[in-house]
Amino acid sequence: MKSWINYILLFIVIAGYSQENLSYQKPHKNVLELAEAPLAPSTIMDSKGENIVFLYRSAYKSIEELSETEMRLGGLRINPVTNIGSRTRYYNNIEVKNNIKGNPKAVSGLPENGRFANFSWSPNQKYMSFTNTVSTGAELWILDIKNGSAKKLTEPQLNANMRTPAVWFKNSEALLVKMLPKNIKALINTKEAVPTGPTISVSEAGVKAQNRTYQDLLKNKNDEHNFEQLAQAELHKVTLDGNSSLWKTSDMYRRISFSPDGNYVLITTIQKPFSYLVPYSRFPSETIVYTSNGDLVKSMLQVPLIEDLPKGFMAERTGMRDLGWRDDKPATLYWAEVLDGGDPANEVPFRDEVFQQDAPFNGKVTSILKTKDRFSSITWGTDNIAIAHDYWWNTRNTRTYVFNPSNANIEPTVLFDRNYQDAYSNPGNFVYTKNEFNEYVLELNNNKAYLIGEGYTEAGKFPFVDEINLNTQKTKRLYQSTLTEKVESIRSAVNAKEGTFLVSIESKNEYPNYYIRNIKKKNKLTALTSFENPFKSIQNVKKEVITYKREDGLDLSGTLYLPTDYEKGKKYPMILWAYPREYKDKKSAGQNTSSSNEFTYPFYGSPIYWVTRGYVVLNDAAFPIIGEGDEQPNDTFIKQLVSNGKAAIDAVDALGYVDRNRVAVGGHSYGAFMTANLLSHSNLFAAGIARSGAYNRTLTPFGFQSEERNYWEAPEVYYNMSPFMHAEKMKTPLLLIHGEADNNSGTYPLQSERYFNALKGLGAPVRLVMLPKESHGYAAKESILHMLWEQDQWLEEHVKNKKEEETESSSKN
């Protein structure tokens, strides 16, 4: 391994980098037209398929919104003025469609310039609660579905900082609401506060705390104070007529969950001490059961601070976890506990055990299941039938069990034991129905259940509905889509026994619309929506999914778009956009789950815009990184990465579409990391675009992406995979873009800043664009339009209009 001394000296000698005084720009009119196209509404349908709520919003926030006051504490981003998440995506209008007929109607009573979020059905689905954020705080509102009217229930005093500010009582006549306490202390301005002493952290000898590089953590006592004040809330019972009564005094409430019968409430509160190493989800907590009147029943669980788990993605803490209500019982709690000490390195016949206990939670605790790998979840059915799932990341394996929760002596039956990355063999997901408690449970017809599957095959996507006999494990196909020019997706069952399902249907130029399909009545379709294609300028673009092989014979694929002005025989510049994914077997890695009939949707981060600018685009190009058996995928990351890139270019070149000397590569996050590595270790590309990436893996020493080994276990892997360590090899123009407020684990803005400094110091052609206020995903319209402008300018200069001498030079390489 090369010494780091040169790079350390590089940091010292580089004083900074030249800057341009540039205001926000807008991209070329062809790109701008697509970027400013209006969004279709989000749709929420009730469980009976009778009523639909349409939620409208702008595609973007404004930079003014992103500039509102923000505190970053314990993994949260909070607006302390309005007491709601500072990055909350708001809707601005609501419509309702009753009885699935006719047109949606506007909801009456809504406030002007509303900022709506936190939508939640009442248990009987006659109402929907939501919040409206005003300049001074967040209000609770209620939507009457039948009447299509809305009204305000509270003043702007909600505490939505910890998410889920209101939970419905089971009778649908009131909500339990987090309200700002009257005794909250003033927040400390951490920028102006005078320190009273240093911040000290301590590590005990022998106690390992190998945590990921989380962002927005608490840093000092002032942060602790502010977090505690912003997490504090009182619980109030608020009825549908707006009457409010104190239900529970101030605490740091994290989770509230009513028992199915509504007689008990499970409440989790955050406790001290706080941590400077992990986010609030791993702070100490206590979970207590109360009656629906607020009387204490029992403290069920105390969880200590979680800073020192064993190594590995499958590590777990000891003690009760995943505590929750059985959906099929009035008031029964269940939970899982580890049997391997929480250490995946320990070899045991069973990893986890699941227990249950009935109300009032002072009787016998019963074991109901042991899982061979890490317990994941349970779908409850009846007294004698439930479905459980476990998984093991290291092997990419998952099991599905059917078991009898009333008799642990009856051995569970393994229904499916499979690689969860194998899309072609996926049996689908079980269908749910609502029970007498208005909880979702397994839909059963005697001992038969139903499965909805995506239906991915080598020939395309053909979703299906299966009936499975849980006694014999035999399946019967009830329906499978036969659409070939369009793509169907089965969203959910409306009534599986009657054969009605909610589906969406789309084509490459037809926007996805919703239907009720009745598979028992000649597959009859009833239209629910009629959204039009907002992207008319690219609706006729030629699009196909191409398949090709890597040099080692692995099957690869990507979605190829030709320019809107395509002329046969002409060779065009190309943009290759991708995101690497790790696999443990070649079979799964070589599968194709894309369809040329999917709707062409150029969202903000997409490269599809550039078909209007004369580029061929290969989007979602397969970039599998495989490590079979004891070999880890990252052991040969660079070799496989370059091989993937070469195979993609060779495939499109063989079709006669592109000038292979004018090919750009780009990606976001891990795709940005991919881009920098491809430019460092190959001469395949004319330029690159890397957005919000990480380029020095030694800054994420306790694992990254799907790498669970730490730096000291695999130093060569960390070194070889870090583009920063190979900055001297970079000769290809690279555009770096990063949000100044990136919140993603590992992709600190510092990653792009330091990488730029290294490249500039070594004379590489590079441009760094830091987007003010933006997080890992960009939100403000001003930022996104400027990002599109930057990318367009970069591609025009370094790819489409690449200088002839540069083309000759790259062709020689």
Side-chain angles (χ1 to χ4, degrees), residues 33-34 507-511 533-544 560-567 596 598-602 608 611-612:
E33 177 186 351
L34 294 172
S507 72
K508 64 180 66 177
N509 56 15
E510 293 179 10
Y511 198 91
N533 183 356
F535 309 114
K536 300 291 187 183
S537 65
I538 59 170
Q539 65 179 356
N540 295 319
V541 67
K542 180 174 173 54
K543 171 185 177 182
E544 63 177 315
L560 184 69
Y561 301 81
L562 297 186
T564 52
D565 60 353
Y566 174 72
E567 298 177 17
S596 61
E598 291 175 339
F599 180 68
T600 304
Y601 186 11
I608 297 171
V611 298
T612 69

Side-chain angles (χ1 to χ4, degrees), residues 573 658-663 683-687 733 796-813:
V658 298
D659 173 357
R660 65 180 302 135
N661 292 317
R662 293 189 294 157
V663 178
N683 294 313
L684 295 169
F685 301 98
E796 289 292 294
E797 178 181 357
H798 297 290
V799 182
K800 181 187 287 186
N801 300 308
K802 183 178 180 181
K803 295 177 182 178
E804 187 173 334
E805 59 268 24
E806 291 177 350
T807 302
E808 293 176 356
S809 175
S810 62
S811 64
K812 292 177 183 178
N813 291 325

Side-chain angles (χ1 to χ4, degrees), residues 9 42-43 96 137 142 146 256 282 288 317 323 333 395 405 473 520 537-538 557 672 695 723 804:
L9 290 175
S42 299
T43 57
V96 172
I142 195 79
K146 182 178 180 181
I256 303 171
R282 291 171 65 173
I288 299 174
R317 63 174 177 81
L323 181 65
L333 287 169
T395 57
Q473 293 87 59
K520 290 189 176 181
S537 65
I538 59 170
S557 62
Y695 309 102
E804 187 173 334

Side-chain angles (χ1 to χ4, degrees), residues 562-689:
L562 297 186
T564 52
D565 60 353
Y566 174 72
E567 298 177 17
K568 188 175 182 179
K570 184 177 178 181
K571 295 201 173 187
Y572 293 85
M574 185 177 91
I575 305 169
L576 186 159
W577 203 266
Y579 190 95
R581 301 187 187 279
E582 296 83 355
Y583 294 85
K584 288 299 291 179
D585 70 301
K586 292 181 179 178
K587 176 185 174 184
S588 300
Q591 293 178 350
N592 171 35
T593 57
S594 298
S595 170
S596 61
N597 292 318
E598 291 175 339
F599 180 68
T600 304
Y601 186 11
F603 71 98
Y604 90 87
S606 166
I608 297 171
Y609 297 103
W610 278 273
V611 298
T612 69
R613 299 283 283 137
Y615 293 82
V616 170
V617 174
L618 185 62
N619 195 28
D620 292 329
F623 265 69
I625 309 296
I626 306 165
E628 294 188 305
D630 293 333
E631 183 183 78
Q632 295 301 313
N634 286 341
D635 292 346
T636 53
F637 179 84
I638 299 300
K639 179 181 178 181
Q640 293 190 66
L641 202 69
V642 173
S643 184
N644 290 329
K646 183 176 184 302
I649 296 174
D650 287 347
V652 184
D653 186 28
L655 295 172
Y657 294 141
V658 298
D659 173 357
R660 65 180 302 135
N661 292 317
R662 293 189 294 157
V663 178
V665 62
H668 189 94
S669 193
Y670 210 55
F673 174 71
M674 168 204 76
T675 298
N677 267 308
L678 283 169
L679 299 190
S680 298
H681 298 286
S682 76
N683 294 313
L684 295 169
F685 301 98
I689 299 171

